[in-house]
Amino acid sequence: GCEWDIYQNFLAAPVRQLLIELHGGAGVKADSFMRSMHAAGWAIFSKEPNTIGCRGSCLEYSFIRLDLPRDLNPAWLLNSQPSKPTLNNSPPSKPTSKTEDP
């Protein structure tokens, strides 16, 4: 049950997905956890009970971060520098018109 005390530490983790098992997840702690996850950009994409280890009293939640902040760019995980975006300063090309044969 330490997840209730430490979840604030991984709200901004530089990862796209997170799997966590919640123990005794009713009440104020669970509400605060879910609201914090949502506010940090996480969404639930899977939920299932642990029927073996907890006999169904624990729930496993899979979260996905919908909008990864720029400072948490996945290139950081590879220990490399992210490439800088390039700007295309050329004017847009004109559409070509097609003429139909008579």
Coordinates of all heavy atoms in Angstrom, one line a residue:
G1 N 0.8 -1.2 0.0 CA 0.0 0.0 0.0 C 0.8 1.3 0.0 O 0.2 2.3 0.3
C2 N 2.1 1.3 -0.3 CA 2.9 2.5 -0.3 C 2.5 3.4 -1.5 O 2.9 4.6 -1.5 CB 4.4 2.2 -0.4 SG 5.0 1.6 -1.9
E3 N 1.8 2.9 -2.5 CA 1.4 3.8 -3.6 C 0.7 5.1 -3.2 O 0.9 6.1 -3.9 CB 0.6 3.0 -4.7 CG -0.8 2.6 -4.2 CD -0.8 1.3 -3.5 OE1 0.3 0.7 -3.1 OE2 -1.9 0.7 -3.3
W4 N 0.0 5.0 -2.2 CA -0.7 6.2 -1.7 C 0.2 7.3 -1.2 O -0.1 8.5 -1.3 CB -1.8 5.9 -0.6 CG -2.7 4.8 -1.1 CD1 -2.8 3.5 -0.5 CD2 -3.6 4.8 -2.1 NE1 -3.7 2.8 -1.2 CE2 -4.3 3.6 -2.2 CE3 -4.0 5.8 -3.1 CZ2 -5.2 3.3 -3.1 CZ3 -5.0 5.5 -4.0 CH2 -5.6 4.2 -4.0
D5 N 1.4 6.9 -0.7 CA 2.3 7.9 -0.2 C 3.3 8.4 -1.2 O 3.9 9.4 -1.0 CB 3.1 7.2 1.0 CG 2.2 6.8 2.1 OD1 1.2 7.6 2.4 OD2 2.4 5.8 2.8
I6 N 3.5 7.6 -2.3 CA 4.6 8.0 -3.2 C 4.1 8.4 -4.6 O 4.9 8.8 -5.5 CB 5.6 6.8 -3.4 CG1 4.9 5.6 -4.0 CG2 6.2 6.5 -2.1 CD1 5.9 4.6 -4.5
Y7 N 2.8 8.3 -4.9 CA 2.4 8.5 -6.3 C 2.7 9.9 -6.8 O 3.0 10.1 -8.0 CB 0.9 8.2 -6.5 CG 0.0 9.2 -6.0 CD1 -0.4 10.3 -6.7 CD2 -0.6 9.0 -4.7 CE1 -1.3 11.3 -6.2 CE2 -1.5 10.0 -4.2 CZ -1.9 11.1 -4.9 OH -2.7 12.0 -4.4
Q8 N 2.8 10.9 -5.9 CA 3.2 12.3 -6.4 C 4.5 12.3 -7.0 O 4.8 13.1 -7.9 CB 3.1 13.3 -5.2 CG 1.8 13.5 -4.6 CD 0.9 14.3 -5.5 OE1 1.3 15.1 -6.3 NE2 -0.4 14.2 -5.3
N9 N 5.4 11.3 -6.7 CA 6.8 11.3 -7.2 C 6.8 10.9 -8.7 O 7.8 11.2 -9.3 CB 7.6 10.3 -6.4 CG 7.8 10.8 -5.0 OD1 7.8 12.0 -4.7 ND2 8.0 9.8 -4.1
F10 N 5.8 10.2 -9.1 CA 5.9 9.7 -10.5 C 4.8 10.4 -11.4 O 4.7 10.0 -12.6 CB 5.8 8.2 -10.6 CG 4.6 7.5 -10.1 CD1 3.4 7.6 -10.7 CD2 4.7 6.8 -8.9 CE1 2.2 7.0 -10.1 CE2 3.6 6.2 -8.3 CZ 2.4 6.3 -9.0
L11 N 4.1 11.4 -11.0 CA 3.2 12.1 -11.8 C 3.8 12.7 -13.1 O 3.3 12.7 -14.1 CB 2.4 13.2 -11.0 CG 1.4 12.7 -10.0 CD1 0.9 13.9 -9.2 CD2 0.3 11.9 -10.7
A12 N 5.1 13.2 -12.9 CA 5.8 13.8 -14.0 C 6.9 12.9 -14.6 O 7.8 13.4 -15.2 CB 6.3 15.2 -13.6
A13 N 6.8 11.6 -14.3 CA 7.8 10.7 -14.8 C 7.9 10.8 -16.4 O 6.9 10.9 -17.0 CB 7.5 9.3 -14.4
P14 N 9.1 10.8 -16.9 CA 9.3 10.9 -18.4 C 9.0 9.6 -19.1 O 9.8 9.0 -19.8 CB 10.8 11.3 -18.5 CG 11.4 10.6 -17.4 CD 10.4 10.7 -16.2
V15 N 7.8 9.1 -18.9 CA 7.3 7.9 -19.6 C 5.9 8.1 -20.2 O 5.2 9.0 -19.8 CB 7.3 6.7 -18.6 CG1 8.7 6.3 -18.1 CG2 6.4 7.0 -17.4
R16 N 5.6 7.3 -21.1 CA 4.3 7.4 -21.8 C 3.2 6.5 -21.1 O 2.0 6.9 -21.2 CB 4.5 7.0 -23.2 CG 3.7 7.4 -24.2 CD 3.3 8.5 -25.0 NE 4.2 9.3 -25.7 CZ 3.9 10.5 -26.0 NH1 2.8 11.1 -25.5 NH2 4.7 11.2 -26.7
Q17 N 3.6 5.4 -20.6 CA 2.7 4.5 -20.0 C 3.1 4.1 -18.5 O 4.3 4.1 -18.2 CB 2.6 3.2 -20.8 CG 1.9 3.4 -22.1 CD 1.8 2.1 -22.9 OE1 1.8 1.0 -22.3 NE2 1.5 2.2 -24.2
L18 N 2.1 3.8 -17.7 CA 2.4 3.5 -16.3 C 1.4 2.4 -15.9 O 0.2 2.5 -16.2 CB 2.2 4.7 -15.5 CG 2.4 4.6 -14.0 CD1 3.9 4.4 -13.7 CD2 1.9 5.8 -13.3
L19 N 1.9 1.4 -15.2 CA 1.0 0.3 -14.7 C 1.2 0.3 -13.2 O 2.4 0.3 -12.7 CB 1.4 -1.1 -15.2 CG 0.8 -2.3 -14.6 CD1 -0.7 -2.3 -14.8 CD2 1.4 -3.6 -15.0
I20 N 0.1 0.4 -12.4 CA 0.2 0.5 -11.0 C -0.9 -0.4 -10.4 O -2.0 -0.4 -10.9 CB 0.1 1.9 -10.5 CG1 0.4 2.0 -8.9 CG2 -1.1 2.6 -10.9 CD1 0.6 3.3 -8.4
E21 N -0.6 -1.1 -9.3 CA -1.6 -1.8 -8.6 C -2.0 -1.0 -7.3 O -1.1 -0.7 -6.5 CB -1.0 -3.2 -8.2 CG -2.1 -4.1 -7.5 CD -1.5 -5.5 -7.3 OE1 -0.9 -5.7 -6.2 OE2 -1.8 -6.3 -8.1
L22 N -3.2 -0.8 -7.2 CA -3.8 0.0 -6.0 C -4.4 -1.0 -5.0 O -5.2 -1.8 -5.4 CB -4.8 1.0 -6.5 CG -4.3 2.0 -7.5 CD1 -5.4 3.0 -7.9 CD2 -3.1 2.8 -7.0
H23 N -4.0 -0.8 -3.8 CA -4.5 -1.6 -2.7 C -5.5 -0.9 -1.8 O -5.1 0.3 -1.4 CB -3.3 -2.1 -1.8 CG -2.3 -2.8 -2.6 ND1 -1.2 -2.2 -3.2 CD2 -2.1 -4.2 -2.8 CE1 -0.5 -3.1 -3.8 NE2 -1.0 -4.3 -3.6
G24 N -6.6 -1.4 -1.5 CA -7.6 -0.8 -0.7 C -8.0 0.6 -1.3 O -8.0 1.6 -0.6
G25 N -8.4 0.6 -2.5 CA -8.5 1.9 -3.3 C -9.9 2.6 -3.1 O -10.4 3.1 -4.1
A26 N -10.5 2.6 -2.0 CA -11.7 3.3 -1.8 C -11.5 4.6 -1.0 O -10.6 4.6 -0.2 CB -12.8 2.4 -1.2
G27 N -12.3 5.6 -1.2 CA -12.2 6.7 -0.4 C -11.4 7.9 -0.9 O -11.1 8.0 -2.0
V28 N -11.0 8.7 0.1 CA -10.3 10.0 -0.2 C -9.0 9.8 -0.9 O -8.7 10.5 -1.8 CB -10.1 10.8 1.1 CG1 -9.3 12.0 0.9 CG2 -11.5 11.1 1.7
K29 N -8.2 8.8 -0.5 CA -6.9 8.5 -1.1 C -7.1 8.2 -2.6 O -6.3 8.7 -3.4 CB -6.2 7.4 -0.4 CG -5.6 7.8 1.0 CD -4.9 6.6 1.6 CE -4.3 7.0 2.9 NZ -3.6 5.9 3.5
A30 N -8.0 7.3 -2.9 CA -8.2 7.0 -4.3 C -8.7 8.1 -5.1 O -8.3 8.3 -6.3 CB -9.2 5.8 -4.4
D31 N -9.6 8.9 -4.6 CA -10.1 10.1 -5.3 C -9.0 11.1 -5.5 O -8.9 11.6 -6.7 CB -11.2 10.7 -4.4 CG -11.9 11.9 -5.2 OD1 -12.4 11.7 -6.3 OD2 -11.8 13.0 -4.6
S32 N -8.2 11.3 -4.6 CA -7.1 12.3 -4.7 C -6.1 11.7 -5.8 O -5.6 12.5 -6.6 CB -6.3 12.5 -3.4 OG -5.2 13.3 -3.5
F33 N -5.8 10.4 -5.7 CA -4.9 9.8 -6.7 C -5.4 10.0 -8.1 O -4.7 10.5 -9.0 CB -4.7 8.3 -6.4 CG -4.0 7.6 -7.4 CD1 -2.6 7.6 -7.5 CD2 -4.7 6.8 -8.4 CE1 -1.9 6.9 -8.5 CE2 -4.0 6.1 -9.4 CZ -2.6 6.1 -9.4
M34 N -6.7 9.6 -8.3 CA -7.3 9.7 -9.7 C -7.3 11.2 -10.2 O -7.0 11.4 -11.3 CB -8.7 9.1 -9.7 CG -8.6 7.6 -9.5 SD -7.7 6.8 -10.8 CE -7.9 5.1 -10.3
R35 N -7.7 12.1 -9.3 CA -7.7 13.5 -9.7 C -6.3 14.0 -10.1 O -6.2 14.8 -11.0 CB -8.4 14.4 -8.6 CG -9.9 14.1 -8.5 CD -10.5 15.0 -7.4 NE -11.8 14.7 -7.2 CZ -12.8 15.2 -7.9 NH1 -12.6 16.1 -8.8 NH2 -14.1 14.9 -7.6
S36 N -5.3 13.6 -9.3 CA -4.0 14.0 -9.6 C -3.4 13.5 -10.9 O -2.8 14.2 -11.7 CB -3.0 13.6 -8.4 OG -3.4 14.2 -7.2
M37 N -3.8 12.2 -11.1 CA -3.3 11.6 -12.4 C -4.0 12.3 -13.6 O -3.3 12.6 -14.6 CB -3.7 10.1 -12.4 CG -2.9 9.2 -11.4 SD -1.2 9.2 -11.7 CE -1.1 8.1 -13.1
H38 N -5.3 12.6 -13.5 CA -6.0 13.3 -14.6 C -5.4 14.7 -14.8 O -5.1 15.1 -15.9 CB -7.5 13.4 -14.2 CG -8.2 14.1 -15.3 ND1 -8.6 13.6 -16.5 CD2 -8.7 15.4 -15.3 CE1 -9.2 14.5 -17.2 NE2 -9.4 15.5 -16.5
A39 N -5.1 15.4 -13.7 CA -4.6 16.7 -13.8 C -3.2 16.7 -14.4 O -2.8 17.7 -15.1 CB -4.5 17.4 -12.4
A40 N -2.4 15.7 -14.3 CA -1.1 15.6 -14.8 C -1.1 15.0 -16.3 O 0.0 14.8 -16.8 CB -0.2 14.7 -13.9
G41 N -2.3 14.8 -16.8 CA -2.4 14.4 -18.2 C -2.4 12.9 -18.4 O -2.3 12.4 -19.6
W42 N -2.7 12.1 -17.4 CA -2.8 10.6 -17.5 C -4.2 10.2 -17.7 O -5.1 10.7 -17.1 CB -2.2 10.0 -16.3 CG -0.7 10.1 -16.0 CD1 -0.1 11.1 -15.3 CD2 0.3 9.4 -16.6 NE1 1.2 11.0 -15.3 CE2 1.5 9.9 -16.1 CE3 0.3 8.3 -17.5 CZ2 2.8 9.4 -16.5 CZ3 1.6 7.8 -17.8 CH2 2.8 8.3 -17.3
A43 N -4.4 9.2 -18.5 CA -5.8 8.6 -18.7 C -5.7 7.1 -18.6 O -4.7 6.4 -19.0 CB -6.3 8.9 -20.1
I44 N -6.7 6.5 -18.0 CA -6.8 5.0 -17.8 C -7.1 4.4 -19.1 O -8.0 4.8 -19.8 CB -7.9 4.7 -16.8 CG1 -7.6 5.2 -15.4 CG2 -8.1 3.1 -16.7 CD1 -8.7 5.2 -14.4
F45 N -6.3 3.4 -19.5 CA -6.7 2.6 -20.7 C -7.0 1.1 -20.4 O -7.4 0.4 -21.3 CB -5.7 2.8 -21.8 CG -4.4 2.1 -21.6 CD1 -4.2 0.8 -22.0 CD2 -3.3 2.8 -21.1 CE1 -2.9 0.2 -21.9 CE2 -2.1 2.2 -20.9 CZ -1.9 0.9 -21.3
S46 N -6.7 0.7 -19.2 CA -7.0 -0.7 -18.8 C -7.1 -0.7 -17.3 O -6.5 0.0 -16.5 CB -5.9 -1.6 -19.2 OG -6.1 -2.9 -18.8
K47 N -8.0 -1.6 -16.8 CA -8.3 -1.8 -15.4 C -8.7 -3.2 -15.2 O -9.6 -3.7 -15.9 CB -9.3 -0.8 -14.9 CG -9.8 -1.0 -13.5 CD -11.0 -0.1 -13.2 CE -11.9 -0.7 -12.1 NZ -13.1 0.0 -11.9
E48 N -8.0 -3.9 -14.2 CA -8.5 -5.3 -13.9 C -8.1 -5.6 -12.5 O -7.1 -5.2 -12.0 CB -7.8 -6.3 -14.9 CG -6.3 -6.4 -14.9 CD -5.8 -7.3 -15.9 OE1 -5.5 -6.9 -17.0 OE2 -5.6 -8.5 -15.5
P49 N -8.9 -6.5 -11.9 CA -8.6 -6.9 -10.5 C -7.5 -8.0 -10.5 O -7.3 -8.7 -11.4 CB -9.9 -7.6 -10.1 CG -10.6 -8.0 -11.3 CD -10.2 -7.1 -12.4
N50 N -6.7 -7.9 -9.5 CA -5.7 -9.0 -9.2 C -6.4 -10.1 -8.5 O -6.6 -10.0 -7.2 CB -4.5 -8.4 -8.5 CG -3.5 -9.5 -8.2 OD1 -3.7 -10.7 -8.3 ND2 -2.3 -9.0 -7.8
T51 N -6.8 -11.1 -9.2 CA -7.6 -12.2 -8.5 C -6.7 -13.2 -7.9 O -7.3 -14.1 -7.2 CB -8.6 -12.8 -9.5 OG1 -7.8 -13.3 -10.6 CG2 -9.6 -11.8 -10.0
I52 N -5.4 -13.2 -8.1 CA -4.6 -14.2 -7.6 C -3.9 -13.7 -6.3 O -4.1 -14.3 -5.2 CB -3.5 -14.7 -8.6 CG1 -4.1 -15.3 -9.8 CG2 -2.5 -15.6 -7.9 CD1 -3.2 -15.6 -10.9
G53 N -3.1 -12.7 -6.3 CA -2.4 -12.2 -5.2 C -3.3 -11.5 -4.1 O -3.0 -11.6 -2.9
C54 N -4.3 -10.8 -4.6 CA -5.2 -10.0 -3.6 C -6.6 -10.6 -3.6 O -7.4 -9.9 -2.9 CB -5.2 -8.6 -4.1 SG -3.6 -7.8 -4.1
R55 N -6.9 -11.6 -4.3 CA -8.2 -12.2 -4.3 C -9.3 -11.2 -4.8 O -10.4 -11.1 -4.3 CB -8.6 -12.8 -3.0 CG -7.8 -14.1 -2.7 CD -8.2 -14.7 -1.4 NE -7.0 -14.7 -0.6 CZ -7.0 -14.8 0.7 NH1 -8.1 -14.9 1.3 NH2 -5.8 -14.9 1.3
G56 N -8.8 -10.3 -5.7 CA -9.7 -9.3 -6.2 C -9.8 -8.0 -5.5 O -10.5 -7.0 -5.9
S57 N -9.2 -7.8 -4.3 CA -9.3 -6.6 -3.6 C -8.3 -5.5 -4.1 O -8.4 -4.4 -3.6 CB -9.1 -6.9 -2.1 OG -7.7 -7.3 -1.8
C58 N -7.3 -5.9 -4.9 CA -6.4 -4.9 -5.5 C -6.8 -4.7 -7.0 O -7.2 -5.7 -7.6 CB -5.0 -5.4 -5.5 SG -4.4 -6.0 -3.9
L59 N -6.6 -3.5 -7.5 CA -6.9 -3.3 -8.9 C -5.6 -2.8 -9.6 O -4.9 -2.0 -9.1 CB -8.0 -2.2 -9.0 CG -9.4 -2.6 -8.5 CD1 -10.3 -1.4 -8.6 CD2 -9.9 -3.8 -9.3
E60 N -5.4 -3.4 -10.8 CA -4.3 -2.9 -11.6 C -4.8 -1.9 -12.6 O -5.7 -2.3 -13.4 CB -3.6 -4.1 -12.3 CG -3.0 -5.1 -11.3 CD -2.5 -6.3 -12.0 OE1 -2.7 -6.5 -13.3 OE2 -1.8 -7.2 -11.3
Y61 N -4.2 -0.8 -12.6 CA -4.6 0.3 -13.6 C -3.4 0.5 -14.5 O -2.3 0.6 -14.1 CB -4.9 1.6 -12.9 CG -6.2 1.6 -12.1 CD1 -6.3 1.2 -10.8 CD2 -7.3 2.1 -12.8 CE1 -7.5 1.3 -10.1 CE2 -8.6 2.1 -12.1 CZ -8.6 1.7 -10.8 OH -9.8 1.7 -10.1
S62 N -3.7 0.6 -15.8 CA -2.8 1.1 -16.8 C -3.2 2.4 -17.3 O -4.3 2.7 -17.6 CB -2.8 0.1 -18.0 OG -2.3 -1.2 -17.6
F63 N -2.2 3.4 -17.2 CA -2.4 4.7 -17.6 C -1.5 5.1 -18.8 O -0.4 4.5 -19.0 CB -2.0 5.7 -16.5 CG -2.9 5.7 -15.3 CD1 -2.7 4.8 -14.2 CD2 -4.0 6.5 -15.2 CE1 -3.5 4.7 -13.1 CE2 -4.8 6.5 -14.1 CZ -4.6 5.6 -13.0
I64 N -2.0 6.0 -19.6 CA -1.2 6.5 -20.7 C -1.2 8.0 -20.6 O -2.3 8.6 -20.3 CB -1.8 6.0 -22.1 CG1 -0.8 6.4 -23.2 CG2 -3.1 6.5 -22.4 CD1 -1.0 5.6 -24.5
R65 N -0.1 8.6 -20.9 CA 0.0 10.1 -20.9 C -0.5 10.6 -22.3 O 0.1 10.2 -23.3 CB 1.4 10.5 -20.6 CG 1.4 12.1 -20.6 CD 2.7 12.6 -20.0 NE 2.6 12.4 -18.5 CZ 3.6 12.7 -17.7 NH1 4.7 13.0 -18.2 NH2 3.4 12.5 -16.5
L66 N -1.5 11.4 -22.3 CA -2.0 11.8 -23.6 C -1.2 12.9 -24.2 O -1.1 13.0 -25.4 CB -3.5 12.3 -23.3 CG -4.5 11.2 -22.8 CD1 -5.8 11.8 -22.6 CD2 -4.5 10.1 -23.8
D67 N -0.6 13.8 -23.4 CA 0.2 14.9 -23.9 C 1.5 14.9 -23.2 O 1.5 15.5 -22.1 CB -0.6 16.2 -23.8 CG 0.1 17.4 -24.4 OD1 0.9 17.1 -25.3 OD2 -0.2 18.5 -24.1
L68 N 2.5 14.4 -23.7 CA 3.8 14.4 -23.1 C 4.5 15.8 -23.2 O 4.6 16.3 -24.3 CB 4.8 13.3 -23.8 CG 6.0 13.0 -23.0 CD1 5.7 12.4 -21.7 CD2 6.9 12.1 -23.9
P69 N 4.7 16.4 -22.1 CA 5.3 17.8 -22.1 C 6.6 17.8 -22.8 O 7.4 16.8 -22.8 CB 5.5 18.1 -20.6 CG 4.6 17.2 -19.9 CD 4.5 16.0 -20.7
R70 N 7.0 18.9 -23.5 CA 8.2 19.0 -24.2 C 9.4 18.7 -23.4 O 10.4 18.2 -23.9 CB 8.3 20.4 -24.9 CG 7.4 20.6 -26.0 CD 7.6 22.0 -26.6 NE 6.6 22.2 -27.6 CZ 6.9 22.0 -28.9 NH1 8.0 21.6 -29.4 NH2 5.9 22.3 -29.8
D71 N 9.4 19.1 -22.1 CA 10.6 18.9 -21.3 C 10.8 17.4 -20.9 O 11.8 17.0 -20.4 CB 10.6 19.8 -20.1 CG 9.4 19.6 -19.2 OD1 8.4 19.2 -19.7 OD2 9.5 19.9 -18.0
L72 N 9.8 16.6 -21.2 CA 9.8 15.2 -21.0 C 9.9 14.4 -22.3 O 9.3 13.4 -22.5 CB 8.6 14.7 -20.2 CG 8.5 15.3 -18.8 CD1 7.2 14.8 -18.1 CD2 9.7 15.0 -18.0
N73 N 10.6 15.0 -23.3 CA 10.8 14.4 -24.6 C 11.4 13.0 -24.5 O 12.4 12.8 -23.8 CB 11.7 15.3 -25.4 CG 11.7 14.9 -26.9 OD1 11.9 13.7 -27.2 ND2 11.6 15.8 -27.8
P74 N 10.8 12.0 -25.2 CA 11.3 10.6 -25.1 C 12.8 10.5 -25.5 O 13.4 9.6 -25.1 CB 10.4 9.9 -26.0 CG 9.2 10.7 -26.1 CD 9.6 12.1 -26.0
A75 N 13.4 11.4 -26.2 CA 14.8 11.4 -26.6 C 15.6 11.4 -25.3 O 16.7 10.9 -25.3 CB 15.1 12.5 -27.5
W76 N 15.1 12.0 -24.3 CA 15.9 12.1 -23.0 C 16.2 10.6 -22.5 O 17.2 10.4 -22.0 CB 15.1 12.8 -22.0 CG 15.7 12.9 -20.6 CD1 16.6 13.8 -20.2 CD2 15.4 12.0 -19.5 NE1 17.0 13.5 -18.9 CE2 16.2 12.5 -18.5 CE3 14.6 11.0 -19.3 CZ2 16.2 11.8 -17.2 CZ3 14.5 10.4 -18.1 CH2 15.4 10.8 -17.1
L77 N 15.2 9.7 -22.7 CA 15.4 8.4 -22.3 C 16.5 7.7 -23.0 O 17.1 6.7 -22.4 CB 14.1 7.6 -22.5 CG 12.9 8.1 -21.7 CD1 11.6 7.3 -22.1 CD2 13.1 7.9 -20.2
L78 N 16.8 8.0 -24.2 CA 17.8 7.4 -25.0 C 19.2 8.1 -24.8 O 20.2 7.7 -25.4 CB 17.5 7.5 -26.5 CG 16.1 6.8 -26.8 CD1 15.8 7.0 -28.3 CD2 16.2 5.3 -26.5
N79 N 19.2 9.0 -23.9 CA 20.4 9.8 -23.5 C 21.0 10.5 -24.8 O 22.2 10.5 -25.0 CB 21.5 8.8 -22.9 CG 22.3 9.5 -21.9 OD1 22.1 10.7 -21.6 ND2 23.3 8.8 -21.4
S80 N 20.1 11.0 -25.6 CA 20.6 11.7 -26.8 C 19.9 13.1 -26.8 O 18.9 13.3 -26.1 CB 20.2 11.0 -28.0 OG 18.8 10.8 -28.2
Q81 N 20.4 14.0 -27.6 CA 19.8 15.3 -27.8 C 18.7 15.2 -28.8 O 18.8 14.6 -29.8 CB 20.9 16.3 -28.3 CG 22.0 16.5 -27.3 CD 21.5 17.2 -26.1 OE1 20.7 18.1 -26.1 NE2 22.1 16.8 -24.9
P82 N 17.5 15.8 -28.4 CA 16.4 15.8 -29.4 C 16.8 16.7 -30.6 O 17.5 17.7 -30.4 CB 15.3 16.4 -28.6 CG 15.9 17.1 -27.4 CD 17.2 16.4 -27.2
S83 N 16.3 16.3 -31.7 CA 16.6 17.1 -32.9 C 15.7 18.4 -32.8 O 14.6 18.3 -32.4 CB 16.3 16.3 -34.2 OG 15.0 15.9 -34.2
K84 N 16.3 19.5 -33.3 CA 15.6 20.7 -33.3 C 14.6 20.8 -34.6 O 15.0 20.3 -35.6 CB 16.5 21.9 -33.4 CG 17.3 22.1 -32.1 CD 18.2 23.3 -32.2 CE 19.0 23.4 -30.9 NZ 19.9 24.6 -30.9
P85 N 13.4 21.3 -34.4 CA 12.5 21.3 -35.5 C 13.1 22.3 -36.6 O 13.7 23.3 -36.2 CB 11.2 21.8 -34.9 CG 11.6 22.4 -33.6 CD 12.9 21.8 -33.2
T86 N 12.9 22.1 -37.8 CA 13.3 23.0 -38.9 C 12.1 23.7 -39.4 O 11.0 23.1 -39.5 CB 14.0 22.2 -40.0 OG1 13.1 21.2 -40.5 CG2 15.3 21.6 -39.5
L87 N 12.3 24.9 -39.9 CA 11.2 25.7 -40.5 C 11.3 25.6 -42.0 O 12.4 25.8 -42.5 CB 11.2 27.1 -39.9 CG 11.0 27.3 -38.4 CD1 11.2 28.8 -38.1 CD2 9.7 26.8 -38.0
N88 N 10.2 25.5 -42.6 CA 10.2 25.5 -44.1 C 9.8 26.9 -44.4 O 8.7 27.3 -44.3 CB 9.3 24.5 -44.6 CG 9.2 24.4 -46.1 OD1 9.9 25.3 -46.8 ND2 8.5 23.5 -46.7
N89 N 10.8 27.7 -44.9 CA 10.5 29.1 -45.2 C 10.1 29.3 -46.7 O 9.9 30.5 -47.1 CB 11.7 30.0 -44.9 CG 11.9 30.1 -43.4 OD1 11.0 30.0 -42.6 ND2 13.2 30.2 -43.0
S90 N 10.0 28.3 -47.4 CA 9.6 28.5 -48.8 C 8.1 28.7 -48.9 O 7.4 28.2 -48.1 CB 10.1 27.3 -49.7 OG 9.4 26.1 -49.2
P91 N 7.7 29.5 -49.9 CA 6.3 29.7 -50.1 C 5.6 28.5 -50.5 O 6.1 27.6 -51.0 CB 6.2 30.8 -51.2 CG 7.5 30.7 -51.9 CD 8.5 30.1 -51.0
P92 N 4.3 28.4 -50.1 CA 3.5 27.2 -50.4 C 3.4 27.0 -52.0 O 3.4 28.0 -52.7 CB 2.2 27.4 -49.8 CG 2.1 28.8 -49.4 CD 3.5 29.3 -49.4
S93 N 3.5 25.8 -52.4 CA 3.4 25.6 -53.8 C 2.0 25.8 -54.3 O 1.0 25.5 -53.6 CB 3.9 24.2 -54.2 OG 3.1 23.2 -53.5
K94 N 1.8 26.3 -55.5 CA 0.5 26.5 -56.1 C 0.0 25.2 -56.6 O 0.7 24.4 -57.2 CB 0.6 27.5 -57.3 CG 1.0 28.9 -56.8 CD 1.0 29.8 -58.0 CE 1.4 31.2 -57.5 NZ 1.5 32.2 -58.6
P95 N -1.3 25.0 -56.4 CA -1.9 23.7 -56.9 C -1.9 23.7 -58.4 O -2.1 24.8 -59.0 CB -3.3 23.7 -56.3 CG -3.6 25.1 -55.8 CD -2.3 25.8 -55.7
T96 N -1.7 22.6 -59.0 CA -1.7 22.5 -60.4 C -3.1 22.2 -60.8 O -3.9 21.5 -60.2 CB -0.8 21.4 -61.0 OG1 -1.2 20.2 -60.3 CG2 0.6 21.7 -60.6
S97 N -3.6 22.9 -61.9 CA -4.9 22.6 -62.4 C -4.9 21.6 -63.5 O -4.0 21.7 -64.4 CB -5.6 23.9 -62.9 OG -4.8 24.5 -63.9
K98 N -5.8 20.7 -63.5 CA -5.9 19.7 -64.5 C -7.0 20.1 -65.5 O -8.0 20.6 -65.2 CB -6.3 18.4 -63.9 CG -5.2 17.8 -63.0 CD -5.6 16.5 -62.5 CE -4.5 15.9 -61.6 NZ -4.8 14.6 -61.1
T99 N -6.6 20.0 -66.8 CA -7.6 20.3 -67.8 C -8.1 19.0 -68.3 O -7.3 18.0 -68.5 CB -7.0 21.1 -68.9 OG1 -5.9 20.4 -69.5 CG2 -6.6 22.5 -68.4
E100 N -9.4 18.9 -68.6 CA -9.9 17.7 -69.1 C -9.9 17.7 -70.6 O -10.0 18.7 -71.3 CB -11.4 17.6 -68.7 CG -11.5 17.4 -67.2 CD -13.0 17.2 -66.8 OE1 -13.8 16.7 -67.6 OE2 -13.3 17.5 -65.6
D101 N -9.6 16.5 -71.2 CA -9.6 16.4 -72.6 C -11.0 16.5 -73.2 O -11.9 15.9 -72.6 CB -9.0 15.0 -73.0 CG -7.5 15.0 -72.6 OD1 -6.8 16.0 -72.6 OD2 -7.0 13.9 -72.4
P102 N -11.2 17.1 -74.3 CA -12.6 17.2 -74.9 C -13.1 15.9 -75.4 O -12.5 15.0 -75.6 CB -12.4 18.3 -76.0 CG -11.0 18.4 -76.3 CD -10.2 17.9 -75.1

